[in-house]
Amino acid sequence: MCRVVDLRQAVLAENDASALALREHLAAQGTVEVNLLSSPGSGKTALLEGLLSRAVAAGTAVAAITADLATENDARRLARAGAPVKQVLTDGLCHLEAGMLRGHLDGWLPQGTRVLFVENVGNLVCPASYDIGESLRIVLGSVTEGEDKPLKYPTAFGLAQLVVITKTDIAEAVEFDGTAFHRNVRQVNPGVPVLETSARTGAGVDELLAFILGCAAGVPVHRPVLARQHHSHAEDPHHGHAGGLDHSHSRPAPSAVRGTAEAP
């Protein structure tokens, strides 16, 4: 008698175990991992460069890993901030996995690093399903991507502990409907804080860094819990979707991030 094995579930279960081990390892050395997710072209790298620059200027020990399918362009750009930066090339894989990340951290991550930023592969599908040992998951959406992005990618936005709107300096030019975006975020992730930023003008970047450092200091935020659903049909383990989010964990009130009052 043949035994049917759900390959996708096995892959995700193995990743979850690796993620838990990595989270505990980082916590033991006082490091908080921040997982940054977004579509390509959202302005994630520009925003991260601003965060690193401010943290370095303030004397906060930070580091960053940036993942791409090819090129080391982002790592060279981020290194200008003066923080330790490492490029991870996924060789075509559309997301990072916990074991892969752990392999790049061992022997590289400086002792005493307070915050490790991980710029995930530009993709809102595959990375959303993979816990990579983060303590804080931030999902970005730019004003150029449209107000319905949260509805199109409910897994990514539904698992976010903070949603960041980028490129707000051109919101008027592209006729971005902020009220609709906030409403759509609330539909898939009720109560999640939303912060509006512009890497070009610097608006909201200090507030974003303060939120992240608050997490590093122990301000409680809910950790994404990927509820694995069993499927009756075969799926590619590298292109699956996670199930729901356990909202039983505490999260910071929206007022914890200055300037994030949601539109009515």
Side-chain angles (χ1 to χ4, degrees):
M1 180 177 180
C2 295
R3 179 184 179 188
V4 178
V5 177
D6 189 331
L7 178 60
R8 173 177 177 270
Q9 294 300 317
V11 169
L12 291 175
E14 181 179 355
N15 180 79
D16 287 348
S18 297
L20 177 60
L22 177 56
R23 187 162 26 251
E24 292 175 345
H25 171 73
L26 292 174
Q29 63 184 48
T31 302
V32 165
E33 180 193 322
V34 179
N35 187 5
L36 301 173
L37 286 79
S38 77
S39 299
S42 68
K44 183 163 71 271
T45 305
L47 187 61
L48 179 53
E49 185 178 6
L51 290 170
L52 292 174
S53 296
R54 285 165 169 77
V56 169
T60 302
V62 294
I65 277 187
T66 180
D68 275 308
L69 276 65
T71 84
E72 297 188 358
N73 295 345
D74 288 349
R76 286 193 290 267
R77 178 178 178 180
L78 293 174
R80 299 183 304 195
V85 176
K86 186 173 187 179
Q87 181 77 53
V88 173
L89 299 181
T90 64
D91 294 325
L93 191 64
C94 62
H95 60 276
L96 283 173
E97 296 179 5
M100 180 194 310
L101 180 60
R102 177 70 179 266
H104 285 280
L105 292 177
D106 287 343
W108 172 79
L109 185 65
Q111 289 293 323
T113 299
R114 186 176 178 191
V115 178
L116 169 66
F117 292 95
V118 180
E119 182 180 15
N120 218 313
V121 179
N123 185 337
L124 282 176
V125 181
C126 310
S129 297
Y130 285 81
D131 182 349
I132 58 171
E134 71 265 28
S135 295
L136 179 62
R137 179 176 289 202
I138 300 176
V139 176
L140 291 71
S142 75
V143 300
T144 59
E145 296 177 80
E147 301 80 14
D148 61 347
K149 205 73 170 184
L151 301 181
K152 289 183 175 180
Y153 299 93
T155 299
F157 282 90
L159 288 170
Q161 292 157 281
L162 175 67
V163 172
V164 174
I165 304 174
T166 61
K167 304 184 182 182
T168 57
D169 53 300
I170 60 171
E172 184 175 353
V174 299
E175 299 182 345
F176 176 70
D177 187 341
T179 299
F181 185 90
H182 280 272
R183 182 175 62 247
N184 293 336
V185 169
R186 290 198 301 270
Q187 183 173 328
V188 300
N189 195 344
V192 68
V194 179
L195 176 61
E196 301 184 3
T197 67
S198 167
R200 177 175 295 177
T201 68
V205 182
D206 288 330
E207 288 80 358
L208 176 56
L209 182 59
F211 184 95
I212 293 168
L213 294 181
C215 176
V219 175
V221 294
H222 83 282
R223 182 173 64 80
V225 176
L226 303 178
R228 305 306 185 190
Q229 304 296 328
H230 293 281
H231 302 274
S232 58
H233 60 284
E235 295 185 60
D236 183 338
H238 297 312
H239 292 81
H241 295 269
L245 169 66
D246 182 354
H247 288 283
S248 64
H249 299 274
S250 59
R251 73 164 82 234
S255 59
V257 183
R258 296 188 295 277
T260 62
E262 296 185 359

